[in-house]
Amino acid sequence: MPAESGSGPRRQKTDAGFVLDTRSLGRAPGSMREMRRTVTAPEKIGLELVGIPAGSEIDMDLTLQSVSEGVLVTGTVTAPIEGECSRCLEAFADDIELRLMELFAYPNSATEQTTEEDEIRRLVDDLIDLEPVIIDAVGLELPLQPLCQEDCPGLCPECGVRMAIAGSDHKHEILDPRWAGLAKFAADPAASDLNRSTEES
């Protein structure tokens, strides 16, 4: 990622959390280093209805490889997710596994000089910041309309009860609106008494 700009002092990043120090890797093409790290999500990562909750543990199993133009990061990232079903509105929990493959270009490399800032990520002070990579990957992986299960039947359109617990025999009598007035008349005790009196006379 590009260096932070501004007149104020820049916050110094260190080899912790989502930030990886590549100095021990060296720049000889083919040099590799494997690493595992567990990071606590500082805030929710994901979409409005589903995401990795703040405070969750994110497990990273990565390989850093030095190539001619930068450092190639590959591996997997796993984390718990929580969400709200878009059909039945019930909360649910699951896990997400992401596969990463991201090149971080060296400063002044041909790749760095011939690409725009938003086309490829950069090393800054020999450090790699994986947080924006993971945020982007999670956003692409998660569905915009999450489901608690693929065949979730949703809610009853008449009474709003969850169809998953209502049972297969759950139904409502749908009255033709043309007869709605007559149904109200029949349900009115005063109207029923008047009707009986008329019949008896």
Side-chain angles (χ1 to χ4, degrees), residues 51-143:
I52 301 171
S56 299
E57 291 190 342
I58 301 174
D59 295 320
M60 304 189 299
D61 188 356
L62 307 171
T63 298
L64 279 60
Q65 180 177 359
S66 179
V67 295
S68 59
E69 292 296 302
V71 175
L72 181 65
V73 179
T74 58
T76 58
V77 175
T78 57
I81 60 171
E82 294 179 359
E84 181 181 281
C85 179
S86 60
R87 287 184 188 167
C88 70
L89 308 182
E90 281 293 300
F92 69 91
D94 203 348
D95 294 298
I96 187 173
E97 179 174 303
L98 308 170
R99 295 199 63 83
L100 298 184
M101 179 178 289
E102 195 79 26
L103 175 66
F104 288 79
Y106 292 134
N108 302 318
S109 64
T111 298
E112 194 269 344
Q113 294 178 347
T114 58
T115 57
E116 299 294 332
E117 288 188 0
D118 59 351
E119 288 182 300
I120 195 165
R121 303 184 191 276
R122 273 82 163 153
L123 279 90
V124 178
D125 298 331
D126 292 313
L127 299 175
I128 285 173
D129 187 357
L130 276 185
E131 185 172 9
V133 177
I134 292 173
I135 290 174
D136 290 348
V138 170
L140 291 173
E141 182 72 16
L142 293 176

Side-chain angles (χ1 to χ4, degrees), residues 4 41 52 132 156 178 197:
E4 299 175 22
I52 301 171
C156 172
R178 292 172 295 179
S197 300

